Amino acid sequence: MTSGKFITFEGIDGAGKSTHIGYVAEKLRQRGLLVHTTREPGGTPLGERLREMLLHEKMHLETETLLMFAARREHLAQVIEPALARGEWVISDRFTDASFAYQGGGRKLSLDKLQVLEQWVHPNRQPDLTLLFDVPLEVARSRLDASRELDRFEQEKAEFFAATRAVYLQRAQDFAQRFRVIDSTCPVEQTHARLDQILATI
Ligand code: TMP
């Protein structure tokens, strides 16, 4: 049996990535593929509990990073690896690129520490495709729903998101083989057309 494929969605808060996950999953299901959609932090009962803490409780930067990777370890063990081994496809709303962008870029944790954790938690697994939804900061900020309470990350300042976005764009260059950058300011039909184009190649 051929192994399934692992697709990740990335972007700063307000980049609009989550709204396109359903579209991509549906397109793949139309090909007869079995597709799981999941998210990080989260994706397992334990991971969802860690998500609650990560999004709402104040903590040391290294604690935050270790909990992100703890949730990821569980996600890989319970959801991602078993599904891929069964030949099914997995779409995750965020993965390790988010740790490099947010904890590394936004919060300035050293790259060495992030690389150690990446090597520890998933030495032999990288996404087959990473869709990076990119928008200017002002657009992202304006999209955050003002009617609900913002989480610990969404409350960060513009400089935090500028640094986060810069790391994402740098990684898209460094790992150009798996990354595709999507201009998320485009109208939805245009974004769908671009996604169709990308999906035709995998
Ligand atoms: P979401 O709002 O896209 O579900 O993501 C939750 C928040 O968690 C988002 O602000 C980004 C942040 N995050 C990190 O800081 N590091 C990580 O490794 C992951 C997966 C998410």
Side-chain angles (χ1 to χ4, degrees), residues 81-100:
E81 294 297 349
L84 295 175
R86 290 192 300 265
E88 298 161 10
W89 287 44
V90 177
I91 300 177
S92 185
D93 190 344
R94 301 193 186 281
F95 191 61
T96 298
D97 294 305
S99 301
F100 281 93

Side-chain angles (χ1 to χ4, degrees), residues 13 17 40-41 51 55 68 72 93-95 98-99 102-103 151 153:
D13 291 272
K17 64 183 165 48
E40 289 204 356
R51 178 187 176 91
L55 264 50
M68 289 289 180
R72 182 162 300 135
D93 190 344
R94 301 193 186 281
F95 191 61
S99 301
Y102 279 78
Q103 281 66 51
D151 67 41
F153 295 97

